[in-house]
Amino acid sequence: MSVASPVRPPSPGETARDPFFDNAKFLAIALVVSGHLIEDLRDVAVAHAAYFYVYVFHMPLFIVLSGYLSRNFTFSSGKARKLISTLAVPYVIFELAYSLPRLIMYGRLDVSLLDPYYLTWFLMSLFLWRLSTPVWQQLRWPLVVAVGLSLLSGTSALPDELSMNRTLGLLPFYVLGLMLRPEHFARLRRRAVRVAGAVTLAAGAVLALAVHTEVPTEWIRWRHANQAIGVDDLTGSLIRLAMLAAGALLVAAFLAAVPSRRTWYSGLGAATMYAYLLHGFVVKVAERFHGDWAETPWGVAAIAAAGAGLAAALCTPPVRRVTRWAVEPRMNWAFTRLRRPGQGA
């Protein structure tokens, strides 16, 4: 049986972007936006189950892809500048922007650049993970070390600064992404694997529907230590290990189901950071104004579908043009001129 690899060198005239990864990123951001929109409706059983199910793997999926696409990160001038302009500066901008609603509604301005608020934790964590990339590439068993750090992080009451709980707890997914190679994604293209992936996703949804009321949602948020969730460290470590395994399994299943051909949303998948950073403002407004109609299974389905539409809209060129200054600021003016090889000081 032939294997269609999603990672291949572009032929002359083709774009260098691989539609597989853009497809995966867009479908992932659609889950993120929909998940946040239904978060306030968790009194409805189906919404709580869907929220629990999606949160087991939607950010792990983003983190695995981020790790894979960060494999070539070094401390060279160009990479360091890109790290600053695509993560550090947007982090500061949106940390300030998300504090404004609190100022308007409650007359309180709380800004802490070391303690990420709301969605900005991912920028902080990704910044730290990417900085650590060269370290993981030098270790013989990087994934084992990362899992060990993740489990140990649950045994301590870590501070909120630098999003330490999530940064260390979700670290194995980033390291897993660093370890992946094109041939690993090629294996997901096999028909048997694709079928198994679809079955696994369906089985995961059924299982989530059965257990979502029994498992505290803090386990899928990675925000607190074991003691804060109410378990001892041995039990907590076993649960964390199970959550890591479940997340990795569902990430693999999801990627197996992602189409590798170019689709109508492939181009949108190249701009998922816009949807991620901007959708929070819509979510905060929606939480205050949804009516009783939303607190029904059909209402939850409608809002989830609206979330997918919102994700697509926020990735479109018009939105990107208007908000590029915040999401992808041009920072050339802030940097010294790059020296070319052989150029004197």
Side-chain angles (χ1 to χ4, degrees), residues 4-342:
S5 171
V7 183
R8 58 182 175 81
S11 58
E14 272 192 316
T15 177
R17 293 195 67 91
D18 193 313
F20 172 80
F21 293 106
D22 286 336
N23 293 340
K25 287 160 60 180
F26 175 77
L27 293 173
I29 196 61
L31 290 177
V32 170
V33 177
S34 295
H36 281 150
L37 280 173
I38 67 172
E39 182 175 2
D40 202 43
L41 304 174
R42 284 177 292 158
D43 288 340
V44 183
V46 67
H48 193 282
Y51 175 85
F52 178 83
Y53 176 57
V54 167
Y55 266 64
V56 171
F57 73 94
H58 76 326
M59 288 312 297
L61 172 61
F62 257 121
I63 295 166
V64 167
L65 292 174
S66 297
Y68 179 77
L69 298 174
S70 299
R71 292 172 302 148
N72 296 324
F73 177 80
T74 65
F75 291 117
S76 64
S77 298
K79 296 291 179 63
R81 294 173 188 219
K82 187 174 182 181
L83 188 67
I84 292 170
S85 61
T86 60
L87 291 178
V89 174
Y91 171 78
V92 174
I93 291 173
F94 281 90
E95 185 71 13
L96 291 170
Y98 277 118
S99 69
L100 293 179
R102 286 182 290 179
L103 175 62
I104 296 171
M105 290 187 292
Y106 308 115
R108 186 177 74 250
L109 181 63
D110 296 325
V111 178
S112 174
L113 291 183
L114 295 181
D115 183 5
Y117 174 67
Y118 195 34
L119 303 176
T120 58
W121 73 266
F122 179 64
L123 296 182
M124 171 67 79
S125 295
L126 183 55
F127 182 87
L128 296 173
W129 291 328
R130 196 162 286 169
L131 281 179
S132 71
T133 295
V135 174
W136 300 110
Q137 293 174 333
Q138 297 299 314
L139 297 179
R140 181 168 299 192
W141 300 291
L143 190 57
V144 173
V145 174
V147 170
L149 288 174
S150 177
L151 298 182
L152 284 173
S153 70
T155 65
S156 304
L158 298 176
D160 292 331
E161 282 74 15
L162 302 181
S163 190
M164 291 302 297
N165 287 288
R166 281 168 165 160
T167 299
L168 290 176
L170 292 164
L171 173 63
F173 294 111
Y174 182 80
V175 176
L176 174 61
L178 289 177
M179 296 174 61
L180 294 176
R181 296 293 178 265
E183 54 268 25
H184 295 128
F185 291 97
R187 292 170 189 162
L188 296 176
R189 300 294 90 205
R190 294 174 177 155
R191 182 178 295 275
V193 177
R194 290 173 62 83
V195 172
V199 171
T200 300
L201 289 175
V206 172
L207 182 61
L209 190 62
V211 305
H212 69 97
T213 58
E214 307 300 324
V215 182
T217 54
E218 284 304 329
W219 288 116
I220 58 176
R221 292 181 175 182
W222 299 88
R223 299 188 305 181
H224 298 297
N226 301 325
Q227 297 293 336
I229 306 178
V231 298
D232 61 82
D233 287 335
L234 176 59
T235 302
S237 295
L238 292 174
I239 294 174
R240 279 174 169 261
L241 191 60
M243 297 306 298
L244 288 172
L249 178 62
L250 289 174
V251 165
F254 185 89
L255 290 173
V258 170
S260 57
R261 66 184 184 281
R262 180 160 292 280
T263 65
W264 65 267
Y265 51 83
S266 296
L268 302 178
T272 51
M273 191 59 79
Y274 286 82
Y276 180 80
L277 290 174
L278 297 173
H279 83 274
F281 298 106
V282 179
V283 170
K284 290 299 183 183
V285 172
E287 287 175 351
R288 299 178 66 86
F289 293 105
H290 69 70
D292 292 340
W293 65 271
E295 298 181 7
T296 65
W298 287 111
V300 170
I303 290 178
L310 175 62
L314 293 176
C315 292
T316 57
V319 173
R320 289 153 61 181
R321 282 194 295 270
V322 173
T323 59
R324 181 172 286 118
W325 65 272
V327 181
E328 293 183 297
R330 292 186 173 92
M331 299 297 299
N332 292 339
W333 57 270
F335 301 128
T336 59
R337 181 175 300 178
L338 279 173
R339 294 188 180 93
R340 297 176 181 176

